[in-house]
Amino acid sequence: MNHSIRLTLSRAALLAALLIGYTTAQSAEPNSPIGWRGDGSGLYADGQPPTTWSSKTNIRWRTKVGESSSSPLIVGDKILLMSEPGKLLCLERATGRPVWEQSSGFADLPPNIRPAKVPRYETSCGYTTPTPVCDANNVYVVLGNGIVASYTLAGERNWIVWVPAEQTTAYGRSASPVLAGDVLIAPASHLHGLDRKTGKVLWEAQDVETAYGTPVVMNLSKTPVVVTPTGFAVRASDGKVLAKDLGHLEYASPIADQDTVYFVGPELTAVKLALAGDKLQVKRLFDETLDGEFIASPVLKDGLLFTLTSGAVYSVIDAKTGKSLSEPKTLELPPAGETKPGGPAAYPSPAFAGGMLYLTNTAGDCLVIAAKGAYEKISRNQLPKGSSACPVFAGKQLFLR
């Protein structure tokens, strides 16, 4: 594989808030977990963000936040995000003003679990690419070096532990944590389930290898089940493997819709799941193939899968049949679809807000298009720099790293 087109550490050190009109702060206590791409789907149903901007237009504020490829979390009047090599930052949403920061390093570990020699991990994406996940009261971080920690929304550390798992991915770790009931799911070479209140490791699923993408949590018969990009289904409460070989993704993440999970990559698979006791019934809906490399995860909206390759080839797929609705289209991400080592790439995952799709690249470009079967360009916008982080929305605001 060409190392030059893999995930690389973002050099964009700014977080920008864009908006149209005035928006009030939302409740500081989310009703459900907030993490990578919001709830993992990239859908921001209540978002009504701007569709046009530039470095001089519709920018409310800019704040230096340091290097990282992780995405920000919008939690009420706060913004939470990571910065290399292991900092968790909290900003004031209205102004971008720093509120607090915390370090999650080996020096922060309790002496009884601190390794005598700090291990080194080969990584081209840094240690903070995994996006944190947040519940109503706490935020949880998982670093690429195996450190896992929990903090209150006021910045007080609840606990910090180290999961010493050998790295199995060539370019570092990027899979983000997810919450499943009382269990924090930490992908670190294989799946780990931690007590979200104490940080105690409840179980390890050593046979469940992880990839670069983030697992998805499905509630099947009121039971949280974790589905990994590598095609495993794992019961969140105890780590029991319920199924494997559901599908396979190397970089992207699976997308779930009620009882159906989609693996959108060179191998396009849809699987319907039903849980009866300890038995998981699996019904394959379709298996297709797609051309290209998929770093970005898709958006599923109104029965359509909106997909984007790292070379900015855009396709719309019928979620019932797996068939493309039109010929794949090369977009202006990078300009005219040009790809070259170290150049712009469509690594960030698309997001949906205000009836539009927001497609970004690592150079600060963003295409806004209509979320429908036929391609309809709304606008193309540019900022001086970009990153691999996903765009995030809250009300009339759009946040870009």
Side-chain angles (χ1 to χ4, degrees):
M1 290 185 292
N2 184 351
H3 186 93
S4 63
I5 61 173
R6 298 299 137 222
L7 292 172
T8 55
L9 182 65
S10 167
R11 297 297 171 184
L14 291 172
L15 182 72
L18 299 81
L19 82 161
I20 289 180
Y22 176 75
T23 180
T24 57
Q26 296 176 340
S27 167
E29 297 199 0
N31 294 322
S32 58
I34 298 174
W36 178 71
R37 303 183 81 198
D39 62 357
S41 69
L43 299 176
Y44 298 85
D46 296 331
Q48 294 293 329
T51 57
T52 59
W53 63 87
S54 70
S55 59
K56 298 181 179 179
T57 305
N58 277 340
I59 303 291
R60 185 168 187 173
W61 52 255
R62 297 179 179 89
T63 297
K64 288 186 177 181
V65 293
E67 298 177 358
S68 180
S69 294
S70 64
S71 304
L73 307 182
I74 312 303
V75 186
D77 59 0
K78 297 179 176 64
I79 300 172
L80 301 168
L81 73 167
M82 299 299 294
S83 180
E84 290 293 328
K87 291 190 295 184
L88 172 65
L89 309 179
C90 177
L91 309 180
E92 185 178 76
R93 174 180 155 188
T95 65
R97 180 182 63 86
V99 179
W100 55 260
E101 71 174 56
Q102 274 281 9
S103 170
S104 300
F106 283 98
D108 301 303
L109 290 169
N112 62 314
I113 63 171
R114 189 183 306 157
K117 183 179 180 180
V118 175
R120 296 183 62 85
Y121 296 86
E122 293 296 327
T123 175
S124 60
C125 62
Y127 291 143
T128 63
T129 294
T131 297
V133 64
C134 184
D135 59 23
N137 301 301
N138 305 290
V139 57
Y140 308 86
V141 301
V142 174
L143 302 183
N145 55 15
I147 289 180
V148 186
S150 168
Y151 299 91
T152 70
L153 297 184
E156 298 175 354
R157 183 183 292 126
N158 296 315
W159 49 261
I160 183 170
V161 299
W162 178 46
V163 177
E166 182 180 353
Q167 181 176 302
T168 57
T169 46
Y171 307 106
R173 292 170 175 159
S174 60
S176 299
V178 293
L179 289 171
D182 292 329
V183 181
L184 172 67
I185 305 298
S189 301
H190 54 270
L191 277 193
H192 297 73
L194 284 71
D195 186 318
R196 66 200 286 183
K197 295 180 181 178
T198 66
K200 178 183 177 181
V201 177
L202 301 175
W203 52 261
E204 292 187 47
Q206 296 191 4
D207 294 333
V208 181
E209 64 266 24
T210 60
Y212 295 99
T214 298
V216 64
V217 179
M218 303 177 68
N219 286 308
L220 303 175
S221 300
K222 300 181 179 180
T223 299
V225 174
V226 181
V227 178
T228 71
T230 52
F232 287 84
V234 179
R235 190 164 56 198
S237 61
D238 58 5
K240 178 180 174 59
V241 176
L242 301 174
K244 59 182 181 179
D245 299 326
L246 299 178
H248 181 78
L249 297 170
E250 187 171 7
Y251 301 108
S253 299
I255 295 292
D257 180 27
Q258 297 183 10
D259 60 356
T260 302
V261 60
Y262 298 86
F263 297 81
V264 181
E267 301 173 17
L268 171 62
T269 302
V271 180
K272 187 173 182 178
L273 305 176
L275 184 63
D278 286 345
K279 302 296 183 181
L280 188 65
Q281 299 173 351
V282 178
K283 179 181 179 181
R284 303 190 79 83
L285 301 181
F286 56 75
D287 287 285
E288 301 286 344
T289 58
L290 297 174
D291 292 330
E293 176 190 62
F294 291 81
I295 302 293
S297 302
V299 161
L300 174 59
K301 178 65 176 174
D302 297 331
L304 301 177
L305 286 162
F306 299 96
T307 73
L308 189 66
T309 71
S310 59
V313 177
Y314 170 76
S315 298
V316 182
I317 296 168
D318 187 326
K320 291 184 178 180
T321 66
K323 303 297 183 183
S324 296
L325 297 182
S326 59
E327 288 296 319
K329 181 178 179 61
T330 302
L331 305 182
E332 302 170 81
L333 293 169
E338 177 187 358
T339 57
K340 57 183 178 181
Y347 285 171
S349 297
F352 168 89
M356 312 294 176
L357 291 172
Y358 288 72
L359 312 177
T360 57
N361 68 7
T362 55
D365 303 311
C366 179
L367 271 177
V368 183
I369 65 175
K372 58 184 183 180
Y375 178 78
E376 179 184 342
K377 175 181 171 181
I378 306 300
S379 64
R380 186 176 191 274
N381 307 281
Q382 290 180 293
L383 291 175
K385 293 182 179 180
S387 78
S388 297
C390 301
V392 177
F393 306 82
K396 295 181 179 179
Q397 290 178 309
L398 161 61
F399 299 86
L400 291 172
R401 187 160 200 160

